[in-house]
DNA sequence: CTTCTAACA
DNA sequence: TGTTAGAA
């Protein structure tokens, strides 16, 4: 067993958390007109509530809206913001994968929080730690203690 | 009151 | 993109 899932166990499906267009509009500060337009362009996606024909957005798309808005404010064009958003999401997926497998636990070394990043060598004899000191991080390879 | 579509003084 | 009208 290893990885983030053991430290931050979550069984919730965050995409079950949905928001109406007005809520997204207020949260991210974009107009409902923009949200409908972005969806029409295929930049974001919504699901239609069964009975009503109202749009609802899941967390994944709320994240997209947030990123597109960010890049627009940075001065990018809508299409540029869309491209940048998808690239960012791709990177975020890689970061999650990395963290899920590399991150082991937060321990203590020299009285400081030390992030156990897993085995440093192929033979699994030493472990890489990222020791947190205020804003800085000191990396250190520590010989693994022999287990009985 | 909120959301939808369509259209443009 | 904003706004507005009329309907749901």
């Amino acid at each position: 067993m290893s990885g983030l899932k053991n430290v931050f166990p979550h069984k919730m499906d965050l995409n079950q958390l949905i928001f109406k267009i007005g809520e997204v509009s207020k949260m991210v500060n974009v107009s409902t007109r923009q949200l409908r337009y972005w969806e029409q362009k295929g930049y974001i996606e919504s699901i239609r509530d069964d009975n009503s024909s109202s749009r609802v957005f899941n967390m994944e798309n709320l994240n997209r809206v947030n990123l597109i808005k960010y890049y627009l404010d940075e001065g990018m064009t809508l299409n540029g913001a869309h491209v940048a958003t998808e690239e960012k999401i791709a990177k975020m997926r890689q970061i999650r994968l990395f963290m899920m497998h590399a991150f082991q636990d937060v321990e203590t070394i020299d009285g400081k929080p030390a992030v156990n990043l897993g085995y440093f060598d192929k033979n699994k004899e030493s472990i890489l730690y990222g020791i947190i000191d205020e804003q800085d991080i000191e990396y250190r390879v520590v010989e693994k203690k022999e287990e009985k």
Side-chain angles (χ1 to χ4, degrees):
Chain A
M1 9 174 238
S2 66
L4 262 187
K5 57 184 177 299
N6 299 306
V7 181
F8 300 118
H10 62 82
K11 294 199 170 183
M12 289 192 291
D13 178 359
L14 294 181
N15 273 328
Q16 292 301 312
L17 193 56
I18 56 181
F19 309 91
K20 295 193 299 181
I21 193 170
E23 301 177 310
V24 174
S25 176
K26 288 181 180 177
M27 282 190 281
V28 189
N29 191 31
V30 295
S31 67
T32 56
R33 173 78 170 85
Q34 286 176 299
L35 292 172
R36 297 190 184 95
Y37 182 62
W38 297 355
E39 176 178 35
Q40 182 194 323
K41 298 284 287 184
Y43 298 161
I44 60 177
E45 186 179 334
S46 73
I47 47 186
R48 298 299 181 122
D49 207 338
D50 297 312
N51 35 52
S52 71
S53 60
S54 300
R55 295 175 173 74
V56 286
F57 298 87
N58 58 26
M59 279 297 292
E60 190 177 324
N61 283 282
L62 173 59
N63 182 36
R64 278 200 173 79
V65 172
N66 187 231
L67 288 173
I68 292 175
K69 170 62 174 174
Y70 170 78
Y71 289 119
L72 281 179
D73 289 345
E74 289 292 294
M76 301 183 74
T77 62
L78 177 56
N79 185 67
H82 156 62
V83 172
T85 291
E86 294 310 312
E87 292 177 342
K88 174 65 71 179
I89 288 177
K91 289 185 180 180
M92 290 170 78
R93 286 210 176 85
Q94 293 310 118
I95 292 175
R96 285 197 212 99
L97 278 176
F98 176 82
M99 290 301 288
M100 287 289 251
H101 295 287
F103 181 87
Q104 302 301 308
D105 197 2
V106 176
E107 301 168 21
T108 301
I109 292 182
D110 296 341
K112 300 168 186 173
V115 180
N116 181 330
L117 294 172
Y119 294 112
F120 184 70
D121 60 330
K122 208 70 176 179
N123 297 323
K124 299 185 175 182
E125 297 175 338
S126 53
I127 294 176
L128 173 64
Y129 282 94
I131 303 175
I132 303 173
D133 182 28
E134 299 301 322
Q135 297 297 307
D136 299 315
I137 296 179
E138 174 202 334
Y139 290 95
R140 188 182 302 180
V141 177
V142 179
E143 291 297 313
K144 183 187 179 188
K145 307 170 187 174
E146 280 303 321
E147 298 178 3
K148 296 181 180 178

